[in-house]
Amino acid sequence: MSDLTVTADIDSRLEGHRVELTGYCYRMLGSAFEAEDAVQDTLVRAWRNFDKFEGRSSLRSWLYRIATNVCLDMLNAGNKRARPVDLTGPTPLAQAALNPLPENAWLEPMPDGRILPSVADPAEAAVARESVRLAFVAALQHLPPKQRAVLILREVLAWKASEVAELLETSVASVNSALQRARATLTETEGRAPDTANRLNEEQRKLLERYVAAFEGYDMAALTALLHEDAVMTMPPFDLWLQGHDDITGFMLSFGASCAGSRLVATEANGTPAFAHYKPNPDGPGFVPWAVQVIDIEDGAITGMHCFLDTPRWFPLFGLPDHLDADPA
């Protein structure tokens, strides 16, 4: 076998684990771009040291060991990413002000295709989707790094305690203790799960269709009918967040008035429905990027509109076009 063939085979074997490793690093780090950097570092380290991989564990386990060490090194910097709802209370509309925080303060959205490998088992797929939603990843940020790794490996990826202990070079008792503490912290910090861990049902699809129609028509009465009374709207990089349909629709008619006439294009992020939000181009025809909206649904109503506004970062990540043509006359 030629050197080129061997190299291509190694590359292919390593690349086959990219999506699941990216999902793991994203849960650990809370950042789309840091996760992709961590995976690239992992694969480079693995490629350079492949001749030292002796097959005493599976290739997958070896890669997770490298990825875990990469993430733990990155987390030593101490930065903890969050959502606006994790930092302050809701702001009444009358006091609304747009104060941006640095990008490394925020939990970032992630396209499903980059972090959710295809699996045949619906229950396994539901666990994977649930474990990348924004609220869950935000709750993980409250855990010390090694507890975070233990919980993801045990609860999300269903590793045995002995396998996790070997990866972290610790004892099974230590793994079980870390998992117990991590579960207790998550119980305190994580809110109720939205209803979208499983694939959308017909009722949820119709709800989203009505949401698109109300948003694109800028029909606040129709939008109010779709929002839970305690619905929240967040807008990173701004620390402002609003709660309740009155403040949300009031904001959209004041600060957000330039979004009237927008278009929404369906996508998927963090295991939940999402939309690319394009607003009318102020300098010409068509529509320009404004936000990636990640939507939470509970009990037949929309409970969260999480609008990520840094479109020069998000739209390329999601593979979204940077312009929509005007509607035909």
Side-chain angles (χ1 to χ4, degrees):
M1 188 178 293
S2 71
D3 289 346
L4 286 176
T5 303
V6 170
T7 298
D9 178 61
I10 294 172
D11 287 344
S12 176
R13 291 176 67 188
L14 296 178
E15 243 348 274
H17 295 276
R18 181 180 289 274
V19 173
E20 65 169 312
L21 287 172
T22 305
Y24 175 63
C25 293
Y26 173 70
R27 295 176 183 100
M28 286 288 290
L29 301 170
S31 163
F33 297 100
E34 287 184 1
E36 295 204 325
D37 287 346
V39 172
Q40 192 60 31
D41 190 3
T42 296
L43 297 181
V44 168
R45 293 188 192 188
W47 197 93
R48 288 175 176 167
N49 294 283
F50 201 81
D51 59 335
K52 300 176 184 176
F53 172 58
E54 299 173 350
R56 286 177 296 183
S57 62
S58 70
L59 176 61
R60 181 172 183 254
S61 297
W62 185 58
L63 290 172
Y64 269 93
R65 179 192 295 269
I66 299 172
T68 300
N69 289 332
V70 170
C71 289
L72 292 178
D73 287 345
M74 294 174 73
L75 289 167
N76 281 338
N79 182 53
K80 184 170 73 174
R81 291 177 178 269
R83 305 167 298 167
V85 297
D86 301 319
L87 300 180
T88 65
T91 304
L93 179 60
Q95 300 172 23
L98 300 177
N99 302 309
L101 294 182
E103 68 180 41
N104 66 359
W106 299 120
L107 187 70
E108 297 178 347
M110 191 62 150
D112 284 1
R114 290 179 180 260
I115 51 175
L116 294 177
S118 298
V119 293
D121 183 351
E124 186 179 342
V127 169
R129 291 167 64 83
E130 168 73 11
S131 69
V132 295
R133 62 187 178 85
L134 290 171
F136 185 82
V137 179
L140 289 174
Q141 305 303 299
H142 292 273
L143 301 177
K146 284 196 175 180
Q147 279 188 31
R148 202 178 305 179
V150 167
L151 186 127
I152 297 167
L153 291 166
R154 291 281 286 118
E155 300 279 85
V156 177
L157 301 177
W159 284 37
K160 297 176 182 176
S162 58
E163 294 172 327
V164 179
E166 182 180 355
L167 183 147
L168 294 175
E169 298 181 344
T170 187
S171 67
V172 169
S174 293
V175 167
N176 290 335
S177 176
L179 179 60
Q180 187 175 8
R181 295 195 303 273
R183 285 172 172 165
T185 300
L186 252 62
T187 298
E188 294 173 3
T189 59
E190 191 192 7
R192 181 182 168 192
D195 298 337
T196 49
N198 296 303
R199 286 291 177 182
L200 297 178
N201 59 35
E202 186 64 22
E203 179 185 352
Q204 292 165 341
R205 283 193 292 269
K206 288 181 178 178
L207 174 67
L208 290 171
E209 289 172 2
R210 294 196 297 272
Y211 171 75
V212 171
F215 196 99
E216 292 187 344
Y218 235 57
D219 183 339
M220 294 301 116
L223 185 61
T224 295
L226 304 176
L227 296 176
H228 190 278
E229 62 180 7
D230 292 326
V232 302
M233 182 167 73
T234 67
M235 292 160 283
F238 301 115
D239 59 1
L240 167 77
W241 65 279
L242 303 159
Q243 186 169 40
H245 41 62
D246 289 344
D247 277 0
I248 291 172
T249 56
F251 182 91
M252 292 175 66
L253 291 172
S254 53
F255 286 81
S258 63
C259 291
S262 290
R263 294 292 176 267
L264 299 182
V265 176
T267 184
E268 289 186 330
N270 295 85
T272 61
F275 296 98
H277 173 187
Y278 293 83
K279 65 187 293 187
N281 184 359
D283 301 316
F287 303 86
V288 293
W290 184 247
V292 169
Q293 298 184 5
V294 182
I295 305 298
D296 291 333
I297 298 172
E298 290 178 30
D299 298 332
I302 290 171
T303 56
M305 302 162 58
H306 307 289
C307 306
F308 295 88
L309 303 181
D310 192 357
T311 55
R313 302 179 77 222
W314 306 130
F315 275 52
L317 181 73
F318 280 77
L320 295 164
D322 61 6
H323 184 269
L324 290 184
D325 293 335
D327 296 333

